[in-house]
């Protein structure tokens, strides 16, 4: 079973990534590791507004 990590970018968008792979440019760890499904569930819990940060800030 592969282990995954949750990633976040500068726009506060989330993704999951295989833990054994190098992080893609522009992404950092979001302090969560687990199975693919656990990571997807975590993203569902924490990413309630899918608009990029720059759009949210402009709208406010």
């Amino acid at each position: 079973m592969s282990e995954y990590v949750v990633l976040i970018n500068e726009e506060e968008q989330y993704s999951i990534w295989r833990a054994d792979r190098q992080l893609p440019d522009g992404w950092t760890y979001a302090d969560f590791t687990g199975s693919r499904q656990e990571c997807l569930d975590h993203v569902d819990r924490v990413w309630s507004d899918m608009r990029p940060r720059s759009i949210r800030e402009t709208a406010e």
Side-chain angles (χ1 to χ4, degrees), residues 8-24:
I8 191 167
N9 66 16
E10 290 181 5
E11 289 288 337
E12 297 178 355
Q13 297 169 306
Y14 288 85
S15 184
I16 67 168
W17 198 252
R18 292 249 324 247
D20 61 350
R21 295 188 180 174
Q22 183 176 347
L23 293 184

Side-chain angles (χ1 to χ4, degrees), residues 16-54:
I16 67 168
W17 198 252
R18 292 249 324 247
D20 61 350
R21 295 188 180 174
Q22 183 176 347
L23 293 184
D25 291 341
W27 293 86
T28 59
Y29 289 111
D31 297 327
F32 190 90
T33 303
S35 69
R36 182 178 184 278
Q37 190 59 55
E38 289 169 334
C39 288
L40 290 172
D41 292 344
H42 177 75
V43 169
D44 281 342
R45 283 190 302 275
V46 299
W47 196 13
S48 58
D49 188 343
M50 294 185 133
R51 296 176 298 167
R53 181 179 48 89
S54 59

